[in-house]
Amino acid sequence: MIKIGIIGPTWINERIEQSIKRFPNFEPIYKTSDNIYDAPVFTDELRDKCDVLLYSGYIPYSISKEHISGRVPAHFIPIKGASLYRAFYKLQKNLGYFSTISIDTLSQHEINHLNYELDESITSIHYDSRLSLAKTEEIIDFHESEYNLNKTDCAFTGLKIVSEALTEKGIPNQWIVPTEEDIIVTLERALLATEQRKKLESQIVFGIVYIENFDQLKRQITSEQHIQRLNLDVQTTILDFVEILEGYLTVLNGNEYMFVTTRGTFERVTQGYKFFPLIADMKKQQQLRISVGIGFGLTANGAGNHARMALTQAIDYGGGKCFIVKEDRSVIGPVENEAHLTYPLNITDKELLEKMEDTSISPYYLRKIVSFLARQKIDTFTAQELASSLGVTTRSAHRILLSWLDANIVEIVGIEKLQTKGRPRQVYKMLLRGD
């Protein structure tokens, strides 16, 4: 039996009790309280008694991090898109029609997806900073201000305390809570993170942050004091993120920073390679564009080399992205894309190598598009779709396709007629398939 410590408010008990029945290997130990500041206390009580810890959400997890033993995997239940669907249905049922919302939990992507799937046209105004108990009043003020200025009809929040405060102020709102599916997925991850995963959890991870336009931005600053202030602000922003990763940061040069963490922590913080806010934070706060390479490895040397390879992949993709090279030299990226690509760094397929000898195009491009087609379960595409999947311009995509046509890697199979004005697009078929 695997002992799992469950920490959170009392309302989560019933939900988890139902979901955990699907996992007969788990022996749950519940520690629940409606006072969120009890979470660190419960962590101290359970960390030496359990094989894995599960928190009801990010905030109880974040305030308990310093109390979590390094040998015990810890997870929190994230709020996903399905939670928004349920909150939307409940508020629509209670409020009736609404068209504009303020939201502090989910991204614009989830709102766009809701509009698409439900044929709605909801406009959303988002709270930009990370959720934190320390910012409760700021979050409440954000929702209240937008509502009082008649910019929104209602609010969606991931914090119960915010929902209660808004209700007291007479502001229509809905508290977004995890769905059963969110809980089950998190329990699955927790199961994988026990004894069988400990070796992988402790695997070393190197990250290299490369600032692409740092020199250009500094040339626009005439004051040496302002340049020093910029350097300090940049280092502070990166250090704040590395602290979330429980990592160690060092400066390689003026344009590059390197951090070290463990794979288990990296996977939890990035929610399985789907969440990497540093790129957006640097762009928003300092107008800096960064590329990030993450390397996994069984040794420090291997992880460091893979981080450099990953950074090369990010830059080749067009920059402003994060890529990962794993210990087997397979590539994952871009991180935070809705459906990132996974492809091997080394091309070993004999047929692919023979075909690529007849072209001047990087074999990585071929592997990327083969992976893209396999994931989408299609075998035809346009130049525009190729450009999007590879992160290149449409002109570059046409150049690649001409080379592949000559090498008999692709063939033209039809014409796509557009509904709007514009030239018809040729449709290509890939003659090679990935494994």
Side-chain angles (χ1 to χ4, degrees):
M1 298 296 292
I2 298 170
K3 292 184 178 180
I4 179 170
I6 298 171
I7 298 172
T10 53
W11 65 265
I12 200 72
N13 264 19
E14 183 178 349
R15 290 181 177 275
I16 293 183
E17 285 174 356
Q18 292 298 319
S19 300
I20 210 166
K21 291 177 181 178
R22 303 189 182 192
F23 300 85
N25 290 336
F26 275 142
E27 179 184 331
I29 302 175
Y30 294 93
K31 287 289 183 178
T32 56
S33 168
D34 290 329
N35 181 357
I36 196 169
Y37 291 103
D38 283 337
V41 178
F42 292 156
T43 302
D44 289 334
E45 293 179 16
L46 294 179
R47 64 185 180 186
D48 295 325
K49 300 177 182 178
C50 298
D51 302 299
V52 60
L53 296 175
L54 176 64
Y55 295 85
S56 61
Y58 173 75
I59 290 182
Y61 166 78
S62 65
I63 66 175
S64 304
K65 279 197 306 181
E66 295 181 359
H67 299 257
I68 300 172
S69 170
R71 68 172 188 82
V72 180
H75 298 263
F76 63 89
I77 303 171
I79 293 177
K80 299 293 187 180
S83 307
L84 174 63
Y85 282 59
R86 183 173 60 189
F88 172 82
Y89 172 77
K90 286 187 174 182
L91 193 56
Q92 190 179 57
K93 185 177 179 180
N94 295 331
L95 190 62
Y97 174 78
F98 57 87
S99 61
T100 308
I101 65 171
S102 57
I103 186 166
D104 61 34
T105 303
L106 298 171
S107 68
Q108 184 65 53
H109 167 73
E110 279 86 10
I111 301 298
N112 292 342
H113 196 65
L114 180 146
N115 284 332
Y116 175 78
E117 291 292 341
L118 302 183
D119 195 23
E120 295 285 348
S121 55
I122 301 298
T123 300
S124 56
I125 301 175
H126 294 258
Y127 175 73
D128 290 334
S129 300
R130 189 185 304 276
L131 290 187
S132 167
L133 283 180
K135 296 182 177 181
T136 297
E137 292 300 324
E138 179 182 309
I139 298 170
I140 295 170
D141 290 343
F142 158 74
H143 289 292
E144 184 178 13
S145 174
E146 298 297 332
Y147 182 77
N148 289 339
L149 290 172
N150 294 320
K151 292 183 178 180
T152 60
D153 302 315
C154 53
F156 286 79
T157 177
L159 294 174
K160 184 180 181 183
I161 190 172
V162 173
S163 176
E164 291 172 344
L166 293 177
T167 299
E168 288 183 6
K169 294 174 180 290
I171 299 174
N173 71 90
Q174 184 62 48
W175 174 33
I176 307 176
V177 297
T179 64
E180 182 181 13
E181 180 184 2
D182 297 332
I183 295 171
I184 290 173
V185 169
T186 308
L187 286 170
E188 289 173 347
R189 291 192 64 214
L191 182 62
L192 291 174
T194 52
E195 189 64 41
Q196 302 88 331
R197 285 269 301 172
K198 280 187 179 178
K199 184 176 181 180
L200 198 58
E201 286 266 321
S202 60
Q203 189 181 81
I204 195 166
V205 169
F206 272 66
I208 300 176
V209 179
Y210 171 66
I211 307 175
E212 300 175 22
N213 62 333
F214 202 29
D215 293 334
Q216 177 185 354
L217 190 60
K218 286 194 293 187
R219 284 195 294 269
Q220 299 173 6
I221 302 175
T222 56
S223 167
E224 180 63 27
Q225 186 178 16
H226 288 168
I227 291 177
Q228 293 178 8
R229 174 64 63 183
L230 175 63
N231 284 325
L232 181 60
D233 289 344
V234 167
Q235 187 163 341
T236 299
T237 301
I238 298 175
L239 182 60
D240 286 345
F241 178 71
V242 173
E243 283 184 347
I244 296 174
L245 290 172
E246 301 173 10
Y248 175 81
L249 177 69
T250 186
V251 182
L252 296 182
N253 56 55
N255 289 7
E256 284 191 349
Y257 293 78
M258 182 178 70
F259 62 85
V260 184
T261 183
T262 59
R263 182 166 178 172
T265 303
F266 182 80
E267 289 182 344
R268 285 192 293 275
V269 171
T270 62
Q271 298 179 18
Y273 321 139
K274 296 181 179 66
F275 180 71
F276 197 88
L278 181 62
I279 293 174
D281 289 346
M282 291 285 284
K283 184 176 182 180
K284 178 183 176 183
Q285 296 177 28
Q286 286 89 23
Q287 289 77 53
L288 290 174
R289 178 181 170 91
I290 66 171
S291 291
V292 182
I294 304 295
F296 296 168
L298 301 178
T299 65
N301 182 57
N305 289 336
H306 292 164
R308 183 64 63 180
M309 295 174 187
L311 180 61
T312 300
Q313 296 293 301
I315 294 172
D316 287 347
Y317 190 84
K321 299 292 183 182
C322 173
F323 274 71
I324 300 169
V325 172
K326 298 171 64 179
E327 66 279 3
D328 60 359
R329 303 190 77 179
S330 62
V331 181
I332 299 174
V335 173
E336 278 206 335
N337 267 24
E338 182 180 358
H340 48 233
L341 296 173
T342 301
Y343 55 93
L345 189 61
N346 293 330
I347 305 298
T348 56
D349 184 274
K350 183 177 180 180
E351 184 182 11
L352 289 180
L353 288 172
E354 290 176 352
K355 292 290 184 182
M356 293 313 299
E357 288 178 358
D358 299 329
T359 77
S360 59
I361 306 300
S362 168
Y364 304 135
Y365 283 158
L366 184 58
R367 257 309 186 183
K368 285 182 180 180
I369 189 61
V370 168
S371 173
F372 170 78
L373 296 174
R375 191 184 67 237
Q376 298 293 330
K377 298 181 179 180
I378 57 177
D379 60 3
T380 61
F381 56 95
T382 64
Q384 288 72 21
E385 289 170 332
L386 177 67
S388 177
S389 66
L390 299 183
V392 300
T393 64
T394 303
R395 177 176 294 183
S396 295
H398 281 295
R399 179 177 60 84
I400 292 170
L401 286 167
L402 285 175
S403 180
W404 286 355
L405 281 168
D406 292 340
N408 201 34
I409 293 173
V410 299
E411 66 177 359
I412 300 172
V413 294
I415 298 291
E416 179 183 77
K417 294 183 179 180
L418 302 178
Q419 297 291 337
T420 58
K421 294 181 179 179
R423 296 175 58 186
R425 298 173 175 176
Q426 290 179 319
V427 178
Y428 299 85
K429 180 178 181 180
M430 179 63 65
L431 300 179
L432 302 177
R433 301 302 299 171
D435 294 333

